Amino acid sequence: MKTIKNILMLLGVVFVAGTLIFAVGNTDGIVSNDRVVANDSVQTNVSKSYRISSIDIPADLNFAGEIVPQADPEIMERIDREFLVNTYWQSNAVLLIKRANKYFPIIEPILAKNGIPDDFKYLAVAESGLTNVVSPAGATGFWQIMRETGREYGLEVNSNVDERYHLEKSTEVACKYLNRWKDKYGSWALTAAAYNAGPGAINKYMGIQQVDNYWDLLLGSETGRYVFRIMAIKEILSNPEKYGFHIEKEDMYEAVPTFTVEIDEPVSDFANFAQEYEINYKILKRHNPWLREAHLNNNSRKKYTVEIPNKGYYREAK
């Protein structure tokens, strides 16, 4: 038995020694998955032109015409963070650029009509990514409007119809809300902060800290980053190629042309309703996300306007 153990130990030593000799002798290659790959043939999937670097912050950075105090190093660190995060989160930035092409033409004239600076279209981007999301607190739609706020400003909000999902109507409400707090604060930056955190929180922090502007306020993490994030998004979406985003026009998302149909009575089945216009239920809801159920109660005979896509833009309903 002892002899067998000695033989096995000897074989083990020979095996290890052989492996080491092979590894030392293999100076011209890399052992990988049982094969030798020459060093000069190793390739990567990263383009030689791709570089990760710091971002040059524009010297004239502003929010809705209000100049940012860029001489302040604390302010510049916060700006730099948002430029880096939003530039190098490439997949998200590409999606935002594509969606902006589709939705900004709807939002921009409503802002202009209500005297809201054009920069506030980027607030909608920061709030929702231009999608009809719902926050954990229940804020809903592109503009992240709370249920009670929507009702206060005239939106219908219930399980059957929720106009916070109606882009044009919710943008009108956002404009009213923003104008209200601009009248109070006299500053668009503070107005944006109040939109995010609520005016109660902004009033509280301003009282405790005895300052009267956004740049000097110490706020919670989200609201403290908020205006800087909006400015970074604005700069990237306004100058995408400057930040490395090359998107062809044909790759942008486009709005599908529509016409409108007025309804002033209940609808028992929107699937059947959609088929009357040669589309399906999915497409009807895509263009009218404010219709929250498969039917419309409308016991009051209220007049609703439903968008129907022009023929030929979608597959034929089957």
Side-chain angles (χ1 to χ4, degrees), residues 92-132:
N92 187 63
V94 171
L95 284 171
L96 295 181
I97 293 166
K98 290 186 173 189
R99 290 175 190 153
N101 189 71
K102 180 178 181 179
Y103 295 114
F104 276 0
I106 300 171
I107 294 172
E108 288 166 348
I110 299 174
L111 296 179
K113 181 185 73 173
N114 287 279
I116 302 296
D118 193 62
D119 280 7
F120 276 86
K121 65 192 180 189
Y122 302 104
L123 181 146
V125 179
E127 284 286 339
S128 66
L130 299 178
T131 57
N132 276 314

Side-chain angles (χ1 to χ4, degrees), residues 27-39:
T27 57
D28 296 328
I30 300 169
V31 177
S32 176
N33 296 330
D34 298 327
R35 54 191 180 86
V36 179
V37 181
N39 281 330

Side-chain angles (χ1 to χ4, degrees), residues 222-262:
E222 181 181 346
T223 309
R225 296 178 59 184
Y226 192 64
V227 174
F228 298 103
R229 184 180 176 210
I230 293 171
M231 289 189 293
I233 292 170
K234 167 190 169 182
E235 174 66 15
I236 295 164
L237 267 61
S238 300
N239 305 284
E241 293 195 1
K242 176 181 175 182
Y243 297 94
F245 298 100
H246 302 273
I247 304 171
E248 301 297 331
K249 183 171 177 57
E250 57 266 26
D251 293 326
M252 294 289 194
Y253 299 153
E254 300 280 353
V256 171
T258 62
F259 61 94
T260 59
V261 174
E262 290 189 344

